[in-house]
Every structure is written in structure tokens, then in C-alpha cells.
Amino acid sequence: FDPAGFCKKGDEKTFRNLRAAEIKHGRVAMMAAEGGVVHHFVKFPGFVEVPSGLGAVNIAPGSYGFIALFGIAGALELAIWTEAEDKVPGNFGDPLGLDQYNEDTRIRELNNGRFAMFAAIGIIA
């Protein structure tokens, strides 16, 4: 299903790249949507005086936390969470050994990620 025509018919490489990006953005959006609500109620030690919301990035130590989070996520993205040609896009294994990463779980994750992208934008707006 590609109503905007981003992928040429039969272009597996572009499809896999776009699907992997969609899954990654959905995962980030799910964490952002949850964090957008939780940060009003939970404060880490040392960050008690940091304001809630997007203004936290502009004030130390909130800016230090953002830089650390950005660096850690970038390192994980480049070193550990790399795509493999022999796996479906977004499949990084089953780190907890729950044996739940099947077709149904992937479809749910994709749909929840799509919804979370809209939710995160709504929280920011």
C-alpha cells in the first residue's frame, strides 16, 4: 500500500529503508508520548528544578540530559541497532527472550507507532 508513490513497484531496498524508518520513528514517538505525560509526575534526582515540557532543553541540567540522551541514542543507532538484510525491517531480536516478536506483534507495533506519531505531535502542539 503506497498511495503517495514513494516506492517504485518491486523496489525492495527502498521499501525496507522506509519501513525501518517508520518503525524507528514510531518507537521514538511511543516513548515521547509516554514521556510527555509522565514527566509531569516523575522527576529524576538532580532534575527536580528543571521545568516540564520542551522548555527543559533550554535550562541546565535539562540540556545536559538531552545531550546525553542524544549521544547514547546515536551510539546505539550506529553500533547496535543496525538493520540486517536477513531479517524484517526493525527486527533487532528478542532481548528479553519472551518469544513474542511475530507477525501479529509487528503489525500492532506498526499501528501503535503510527498513532503515537500523531499523539506526540499533539502533545508538543
Side-chain angles (χ1 to χ4, degrees):
F1 180 70
D2 185 19
F6 288 117
C7 291
K8 295 178 184 140
K9 192 169 188 171
D11 187 4
E12 182 73 21
K13 184 178 180 187
T14 303
F15 172 78
R16 289 178 61 87
N17 186 31
L18 291 175
R19 177 55 55 96
E22 180 182 20
I23 291 170
K24 287 178 187 177
H25 283 91
R27 289 172 178 167
V28 169
M30 285 187 269
M31 290 185 290
E34 185 177 358
V37 175
V38 171
H39 71 85
H40 289 289
F41 307 107
V42 177
K43 299 277 188 176
F44 289 116
F47 292 87
V48 176
E49 298 299 320
V50 176
S52 297
L54 294 175
V57 178
N58 298 326
I59 297 173
S63 58
Y64 305 142
F66 174 74
I67 292 168
L69 182 64
F70 189 80
I72 291 168
L76 289 171
E77 177 78 21
L78 294 173
I80 298 173
W81 295 331
T82 57
E83 293 293 327
E85 292 294 325
D86 60 333
K87 296 181 180 177
V88 295
N91 183 359
F92 301 117
D94 187 14
L96 298 178
L98 300 175
D99 197 31
Q100 293 182 344
Y101 199 72
N102 53 31
E103 184 69 23
D104 184 50
T105 304
R106 287 194 296 269
I107 291 171
R108 286 182 184 183
E109 180 184 31
L110 194 59
N111 289 331
N112 289 338
R114 289 171 178 164
F115 180 75
M117 287 186 247
F118 283 102
I121 291 295
I123 291 170
I124 291 170

